[in-house]
Amino acid sequence: MTYQKVTVVGGGTLGSQIAFMAAFSGKDTTIWGRSEGSLERAKARVDRWENEVKAYYDAADADIEFACDHLNYTTSLEDALAGADLVIEALPENVETKTDFYEKFDKLADPETVVVTNSSTMMPSQFAETTGRPEKFLGYHFANEIWKNNTAEIMSGPETDATLPETLEEFSREIKMVPIMVKKEQPGYVLNSLLVPFLDAGTDLWVRDVADPETVDKTWMIGTGAPVGPFGIMDLVGLNTVYEINKGRPDEKSQHAAEKIKERMDQGLIGQETGQGFYTYPNPAYLEDDFLS
């Protein structure tokens, strides 16, 4: 066994999934949240993942209880970091938010603790020095619904110890992931280097009023046989994440896209998690028979 005591910093969509799969695999896991409210939202997400994981693995009730017994929650960063073997940062795609965490981590974490970032678009080298241990830091990215889309991308930074990726490769297998070894730093790793341009293309058609989201998704699904289109994917990922990615880019096209997405977010339209994004859930239009007619 590699890392046994795991702390996930941030209980959002992916953070809560990573934490639950670690606990489901027997790791002693803690979710750290910035407030009691954020922890309550994390617990609600975990409740959803329990059912998803149980169905996917045909797991027994005892397996889910086992996972819950290995999962803890805290708002105390000092307590969350104490004795941790591995810390997985899964905070929003915002440079200031991540930097603030790493500055605190540097002061509080045990010297031997390994820390990784689940950032989907930022490179490890952006934060390596701030962690205080660049040799024990790398990028570690998961896909949404990680129990079935179970890739774990492992991407070293320039100062990462050469032996560290192997430990994350083993840990990935222990938590039922398929390790994907990325040979050098690349914004977006492999998965999002492919996915983000696709989502950008769909967003651009909508922002420029070429086609509405339903038409974009319908065209893609009929034309390729794909089960979901770009706007359905954005609803799954969460519009808040898509907003942060676009907002963090300097170009005018991305800023305009961020503004349009923010308009929807201000109406409470965040995606599947809130019941409505570009579609309404739990029965999104793009999964209904008449949508493709």
Side-chain angles (χ1 to χ4, degrees):
M1 298 289 283
T2 55
Y3 307 105
Q4 181 59 31
K5 189 171 182 181
V6 179
T7 294
V8 179
V9 176
T13 299
L14 265 175
S16 57
Q17 291 181 16
I18 296 166
F20 186 75
M21 282 305 298
F24 184 72
S25 304
K27 305 296 183 181
D28 298 319
T29 309
T30 297
I31 295 177
W32 175 80
R34 287 176 285 184
S35 67
E36 289 295 341
S38 67
L39 285 186
E40 289 304 314
R41 291 188 291 274
K43 291 174 183 177
R45 294 180 184 108
V46 167
D47 286 343
R48 290 173 57 199
W49 312 147
E50 289 176 12
N51 294 327
E52 298 277 357
V53 171
K54 182 178 180 181
Y56 184 77
Y57 285 103
D58 193 22
D61 290 341
D63 297 323
I64 301 302
E65 291 173 7
F66 173 85
C68 292
D69 288 343
H70 282 75
L71 190 57
N72 299 291
Y73 303 83
T74 184
T75 58
S76 169
L77 187 56
E78 185 173 6
D79 290 347
L81 297 178
D85 300 321
L86 174 67
V87 173
I88 302 173
E89 175 266 302
L91 293 167
E93 291 292 273
N94 180 282
V95 173
E96 290 76 18
T97 300
K98 291 180 184 290
T99 300
D100 178 67
F101 161 70
Y102 287 123
E103 289 174 346
K104 294 173 180 173
F105 170 88
D106 184 22
K107 297 174 183 176
L108 295 172
D110 296 343
E112 62 273 16
T113 300
V114 169
V115 59
V116 299
T117 179
N118 181 56
S119 173
S120 57
T121 58
M122 301 174 190
M123 295 190 294
S125 56
Q126 290 180 250
F127 307 103
E129 294 301 326
T130 312
T131 69
R133 61 197 73 193
E135 74 284 358
K136 294 182 178 180
F137 178 64
L138 52 67
Y140 193 42
H141 180 251
F142 295 79
N144 211 329
E145 297 187 330
I146 70 172
W147 47 90
K148 61 179 178 180
N149 303 321
N150 60 329
T151 58
E153 297 179 277
I154 301 164
M155 184 171 72
S156 295
E159 298 181 75
T160 304
D161 186 287
T163 64
L164 188 61
E166 294 178 5
T167 69
L168 271 299
E169 183 178 7
E170 183 178 348
F171 175 78
S172 299
R173 292 193 175 98
E174 289 171 358
I175 63 169
K176 302 173 176 57
M177 300 296 113
V178 176
I180 306 296
M181 309 305 289
V182 183
K183 296 171 66 175
K184 64 179 181 179
E185 278 198 323
Q186 161 70 34
Y189 303 74
V190 175
L191 178 61
N192 279 348
S193 293
L194 298 168
L195 177 61
V196 170
F198 171 63
L199 301 183
D200 285 346
T203 302
D204 185 57
L205 291 170
W206 167 56
V207 169
R208 292 191 297 110
D209 203 28
V210 175
D212 57 37
E214 292 84 357
T215 299
V216 172
D217 280 7
K218 180 185 292 188
T219 303
W220 182 256
M221 293 162 70
I222 294 175
T224 68
V228 65
F231 291 93
I233 293 173
M234 283 187 266
D235 273 357
L236 175 63
V237 171
L239 270 64
N240 47 352
T241 298
V242 180
Y243 167 77
E244 290 287 356
I245 290 172
N246 280 281
K247 186 66 176 175
R249 298 169 177 164
D251 62 284
E252 185 176 347
K253 181 187 289 187
S254 295
Q255 293 301 311
H256 193 190
E259 291 172 7
K260 286 277 288 184
I261 293 167
K262 185 65 162 57
E263 290 173 5
R264 299 188 73 85
M265 291 170 58
D266 288 342
Q267 301 172 54
L269 308 178
I270 305 298
Q272 286 191 18
E273 185 171 25
T274 59
Q276 192 170 2
F278 290 101
Y279 301 98
T280 300
Y281 300 86
N283 296 304
Y286 66 85
L287 294 181
E288 295 176 1
D289 291 340
D290 61 358
F291 180 70
L292 297 182
S293 62

